Amino acid sequence: MKVLFVAGDPKPERWTRPIQEHLPDAEVIAWDPNGGTVNADYAIVWQPPAALFEREPGLKAVFNLGAGVDGLMALPYLPPELTVVRLEDAGMSAQMAEYVLHQVVDISRGMARYRDQQAEARWQIHRPTQRHQWPVGAMGLGQIGQRVARTLAALDYPVSGWSRGAHQLEGVTTYAGTEDLDRFLGATRVLVNTLPLTEQTRDLIDRRLLGKLQADAVVINVGRGEHLVDQDLLQALDDGRVSHAVLDVFRQEPLPAEHPFWRHPSVTITPHVSARTLRDTTIEQISTKIRDHAAGRAISGVVDRSRGY
Ligand code: NDP
């Protein structure tokens, strides 16, 4: 069995060596842009070039080095029948839950006021947080959304979740499908986007959607930049309909220096770091799946190409 590693890491041996240790019977090869066909059975990819699919028509599956496959799905040269497998959690859901919790606590407890006061050596106590005033709504109840929802619910925030199909989650009020979207939004003050980017979810967070949230809304986007209509968010922030936005993902990354988000007083920006790919956990997960797939066993995380996630 041959496994090709095709990601733009300048030191591919950081990946190929441990993958080889996990798959001692396989031949693990780093992609050579100037090389020829190696007759690979599997490829582990991040933003692969068209040449991969021209040179390697015998691929049985590609394993994406990320949970979101929108970039891969957008490649016009991705063979339509090829099995695509995404990362499932792989240590990302805990990071994401931690990131969202941090932001929700920071905002709901008004921690910025205390940072400002410290700069002036001022001792002033503000009213405590009333959790019922901060209902959180997770858009997407997959690997990441569920962990986010459960984490906040465990700290007694009222939590709702919205997904395509119906889910039951202890301590979380769940909604499903477009027909339930407005009810979900009406129950939500802090909107946390953990959706995958598909044709159905692109531009979903627009003026109409933002207008359905509870007053003084907060938007936390950790899904993809293309979920959000930037101008509509800026308008909602300026109208006071949305009081704060925390953005980790953007339509263009790196976010251009002239983008108004950078200097907006009510926007918190992080450079796509809310959940990083953890190499060891990722290698272990993908190696196990390659072994199972090669042995004819069913594997999870196979992307439904018609749904796009
Ligand atoms: P999953 O596939 O496990 O979950 C996706 C969830 O979204 C599911 O609950 C699904 O519903 C729901 N969903 C999909 N389409 C729709 C729709 N049209 N309407 C309503 N709900 C919908 O994905 P993950 O949780 O693993 O990851 C989610 C996304 O998070 C990734 O695609 C990626 O874009 C983003 N991400 C961002 C990172 C970052 O660093 N900022 C890091 C990792 C991921 P159902 O359950 O019914 O199928």
Side-chain angles (χ1 to χ4, degrees), residues 23-307:
L23 298 171
D25 298 334
E27 191 182 339
V28 182
I29 308 157
W31 170 255
D32 175 356
N34 304 312
T37 302
V38 300
N39 292 316
D41 299 285
Y42 298 101
I44 299 171
V45 305
W46 186 249
Q47 296 170 344
L52 169 65
F53 305 106
E54 287 158 16
R55 270 198 236 162
E56 303 296 338
L59 286 172
K60 297 181 180 113
V62 291
F63 291 81
N64 189 50
L65 282 173
V69 290
D70 46 288
L72 196 54
M73 293 297 142
L75 299 178
Y77 47 79
L78 183 72
E81 304 300 329
L82 185 59
T83 299
V84 173
V85 187
R86 66 187 199 85
L87 271 190
E88 294 180 285
D89 190 342
M92 284 186 285
S93 76
Q95 295 178 68
M96 203 65 107
E98 187 179 72
Y99 177 96
V100 172
L101 176 65
H102 170 86
Q103 303 296 348
V104 171
V105 170
D106 193 62
I107 293 166
S108 67
R109 295 189 64 167
M111 298 305 278
R113 294 173 306 194
Y114 295 111
R115 287 192 286 271
D116 292 346
Q117 286 174 209
Q118 183 174 353
E120 299 166 13
R122 183 155 53 91
W123 182 280
Q124 187 187 347
I125 296 168
H126 299 278
R127 283 217 298 268
T129 301
Q130 302 288 328
R131 278 174 169 61
H132 70 269
Q133 293 175 349
W134 294 91
V136 178
M139 295 182 95
L141 284 176
Q143 301 279 337
I144 288 173
Q146 286 203 17
R147 185 73 182 260
V148 166
R150 280 195 277 117
T151 301
L152 287 152
L155 285 169
D156 299 341
Y157 283 91
V159 180
S160 307
W162 180 70
S163 54
R164 212 163 96 124
H167 287 275
Q168 283 197 338
L169 214 59
E170 202 185 321
V172 178
T173 309
T174 53
Y175 300 86
T178 36
E179 58 284 7
D180 246 3
L181 178 58
D182 285 2
R183 286 207 305 138
F184 162 76
L185 296 170
T188 297
R189 178 170 176 194
V190 181
L191 182 74
V192 183
N193 175 38
T194 72
L195 287 169
L197 180 66
T198 66
E199 283 317 307
Q200 283 71 46
T201 63
R202 183 180 300 277
D203 298 328
L204 185 65
I205 308 174
D206 62 0
R207 180 203 301 258
R208 194 205 78 87
L209 182 147
L210 295 169
K212 299 276 178 187
L213 292 168
Q214 291 186 2
D216 278 329
V218 171
V219 173
I220 301 179
N221 189 17
V222 290
R224 285 289 183 262
E226 291 90 339
H227 285 129
L228 175 70
V229 180
D230 294 2
Q231 277 311 319
D232 290 4
L233 176 65
L234 287 165
Q235 186 68 55
L237 284 163
D238 293 342
D239 292 348
R241 167 141 274 293
V242 173
S243 59
H244 200 95
V246 177
L247 307 175
D248 184 54
V249 287
F250 304 91
R251 285 179 180 261
Q252 193 183 338
E253 296 182 2
L255 182 65
E258 63 281 5
H259 197 290
F261 283 157
W262 278 117
R263 275 162 291 278
H264 200 292
S266 303
V267 176
T268 300
I269 288 176
T270 51
H272 204 143
V273 291
S274 52
R276 311 292 305 280
T277 299
L278 303 177
R279 198 163 49 232
D280 293 352
T281 324
T282 299
I283 287 173
E284 201 179 316
Q285 180 176 117
I286 293 178
S287 301
T288 304
K289 287 185 182 183
I290 289 178
R291 208 181 303 122
D292 284 348
H293 193 272
R297 291 189 286 269
I299 57 170
S300 60
V302 175
V303 172
D304 179 336
R305 299 286 298 266
S306 65
R307 291 191 320 192

Side-chain angles (χ1 to χ4, degrees), residues 15-29 287:
W15 293 84
T16 50
R17 219 175 280 143
I19 296 168
Q20 185 68 76
E21 282 166 22
H22 278 278
L23 298 171
D25 298 334
E27 191 182 339
V28 182
I29 308 157
S287 301

